[in-house]
Amino acid sequence: MSLNDTPSSERIHIGFFGRRNAGKSSVVNAVTGQELSVVSDVKGTTTDPVTKAMELLPLGPVVIIDTPGFDDEGTLGEMRVRKTKQILNRTDLAVLVVDGTVGLTDTERQLTGIFKEKDIPYLIVYNKSDIAEKRVCQENEFEVSALTGENIYELKERIAALAKLPAEEKRIIGDMLSPGDMLVLVTPIDAAAPKGRMILPQVQTLRDILNADAMAVFTKEFQLAETLDKLSSPPKLVITDSQAFAVVSKIVPESVPLTSFSILMARYKGFLETSVKGASAIKTLNDGDTVLISEGCTHHRQCGDIGSVKLPVLLKRTTGKSLNIELSSGREFPEDLSKYSLVIHCGGCMLNEREMVYRRKSAEDQNVPFTNYGIALAMMNGILKRSLGIFPDLAGKIE
């Protein structure tokens, strides 16, 4: 996958934080070498988070986020501060920009406290070194001048050194394959499918298969039986869109392993086991319980949409209960989950690992069961154990 094709969810997210007029946007522009953010002497020029996917050498593909001042005031200011706090949930590395002529204030101390609480590595960058008095910097502190460019190169080198790259490459399915393995990928093309392209989990799964020197055949659900008949031998695995589980499971022989893109994404994002445990809550839902169905992306919901239509219908049919269904999408995710009896999340392909960890942990900390679309659909179609067959340790826990 080329640089331009690297999804935002696979890039390191670097957030720039601080008070108004500390020079955050100027430092962002200096670091990126672009006029990414509007710069002004007027306090509060940055009113909304500014996000840019780009390459930052020597680190590579990143997402740069310039945030509003954390000391913003008034009703709108409070809303902007709330947005900034949301940004922290997906920040892999924080850069705290301080006005070097003023020094640390309670606002910066509050931010460093949040960084530590959320276990976010951070740098403290004293801007305006061209006019501020020189200071003795600690290990994670830096003096720069966005105006003159002093120490900007060194700051980029320090950011690259501090950013946490994965210790080992994560795989969706490739580590479970051998060269020459044949897989069948079932991808329904309905009204909800994006026009002219495949969805991200399908593309990422295909690339991981090819990286393993295995082979893949794509087909629609109504062509699956014909596709299997044309293969000279049974495939190593069939991977389907979770929405087609009910149809596909009846076509694929029991001897052929079957799973879904969503289940593989839960594995890739690190919350497969949590999802399997959380799905058991479906059996215990009662009349009046509230279920949150959360999407990581903001696509236009259409007739037959999995989150807003298919899952609620299947939930009520499976449980026989009168349930309250609430929806969230994109970056919006409730901080207080106490009123929910269950959270059903999408595969999270548009969210980076840190944000998915935050959402899962929020549910765990509030004792709210957390599962994902694929696991929930497999369970409600009575094929959860089969869909986890390639993960015997998990499948063995299913009654």
Side-chain angles (χ1 to χ4, degrees), residues 220-292:
K220 298 179 182 178
E221 70 278 20
F222 64 85
Q223 296 173 311
L224 176 58
E226 181 182 359
T227 301
L228 294 174
D229 286 341
K230 289 184 176 180
L231 295 178
S232 58
S233 58
K236 169 83 171 183
L237 174 66
V238 174
I239 306 173
T240 182
D241 188 295
S242 299
Q243 300 179 69
F245 254 145
V247 173
V248 171
S249 64
K250 295 175 182 177
I251 298 173
V252 178
E254 289 286 341
S255 58
V256 175
L258 170 67
T259 193
S260 75
F261 293 104
S262 184
I263 289 174
L264 293 179
M265 287 304 297
R267 180 204 186 212
Y268 183 62
K269 295 290 183 177
F271 66 102
L272 178 57
E273 185 171 357
T274 297
S275 295
V276 173
K277 292 178 180 177
S280 61
I282 293 174
K283 299 177 182 178
T284 63
L285 291 173
N286 295 308
D287 288 328
D289 282 349
T290 302
V291 177
L292 174 65

Side-chain angles (χ1 to χ4, degrees), residues 23-283:
K24 294 187 307 301
S25 298
S26 297
V27 172
V28 167
N29 289 345
V31 167
T32 61
Q34 301 180 19
E35 294 298 316
L36 180 62
S37 302
V38 176
V39 175
S40 167
D41 290 334
V42 178
K43 279 189 175 183
T45 300
T46 303
T47 57
D48 291 293
V50 177
T51 302
K52 173 71 173 179
M54 61 177 296
E55 181 176 7
L56 183 65
L57 295 176
L59 190 53
V62 300
V63 172
I64 299 290
I65 310 168
D66 184 15
T67 64
F70 203 70
D71 60 337
D72 215 338
E73 301 170 334
T75 302
L76 282 176
E78 290 177 2
M79 294 173 64
R80 291 167 187 153
V81 170
R82 186 174 70 85
K83 284 287 186 184
T84 298
K85 288 182 177 178
Q86 287 180 340
I87 295 295
L88 284 161
N89 296 328
R90 56 186 162 111
T91 298
D92 296 306
L93 171 64
V95 178
L96 177 58
V97 179
V98 180
D99 185 336
T101 65
V102 177
L104 291 174
T105 69
D106 288 343
T107 298
E108 284 91 5
R109 294 186 185 95
Q110 182 184 358
L111 278 165
T112 57
I114 297 174
F115 299 157
K116 292 174 183 176
E117 177 187 333
K118 292 182 176 291
D119 195 28
I120 301 172
Y122 67 94
L123 291 172
I124 298 177
V125 175
Y126 293 94
N127 188 29
K128 306 180 183 179
S129 63
D130 53 304
I131 57 175
E133 292 184 6
K134 296 298 179 182
R135 66 182 69 243
V136 178
C137 290
Q138 303 300 314
E139 184 179 359
N140 70 328
E141 296 180 337
F142 227 79
E143 284 187 303
V144 304
S145 170
L147 180 64
T148 66
E150 180 185 1
N151 283 338
I152 293 298
Y153 175 81
E154 289 78 7
L155 174 59
K156 290 197 288 184
E157 293 286 327
R158 183 71 66 86
I159 288 173
L162 191 59
K164 291 183 178 179
L165 294 171
E168 58 183 38
E169 184 184 11
K170 297 184 299 178
R171 303 298 295 270
I172 297 174
I173 187 64
D175 57 320
M176 303 175 69
L177 303 177
S178 299
D181 281 343
M182 172 64 73
L183 288 82
V184 174
L185 279 54
V186 184
T187 58
I189 306 296
D190 54 21
K195 186 175 181 180
R197 63 179 177 85
M198 310 297 286
I199 62 175
L200 186 56
Q202 296 166 359
V203 175
Q204 290 180 300
T205 301
L206 174 60
R207 177 57 187 265
D208 201 36
I209 291 170
L210 296 177
N211 284 349
D213 293 327
M215 299 174 284
V217 173
F218 277 91
T219 187
K220 298 179 182 178
E221 70 278 20
F222 64 85
Q223 296 173 311
L224 176 58
E226 181 182 359
T227 301
L228 294 174
D229 286 341
K230 289 184 176 180
L231 295 178
S232 58
S233 58
K236 169 83 171 183
L237 174 66
V238 174
I239 306 173
T240 182
D241 188 295
S242 299
Q243 300 179 69
F245 254 145
V247 173
V248 171
S249 64
K250 295 175 182 177
I251 298 173
V252 178
E254 289 286 341
S255 58
V256 175
L258 170 67
T259 193
S260 75
F261 293 104
S262 184
I263 289 174
L264 293 179
M265 287 304 297
R267 180 204 186 212
Y268 183 62
K269 295 290 183 177
F271 66 102
L272 178 57
E273 185 171 357
T274 297
S275 295
V276 173
K277 292 178 180 177
S280 61
I282 293 174
K283 299 177 182 178

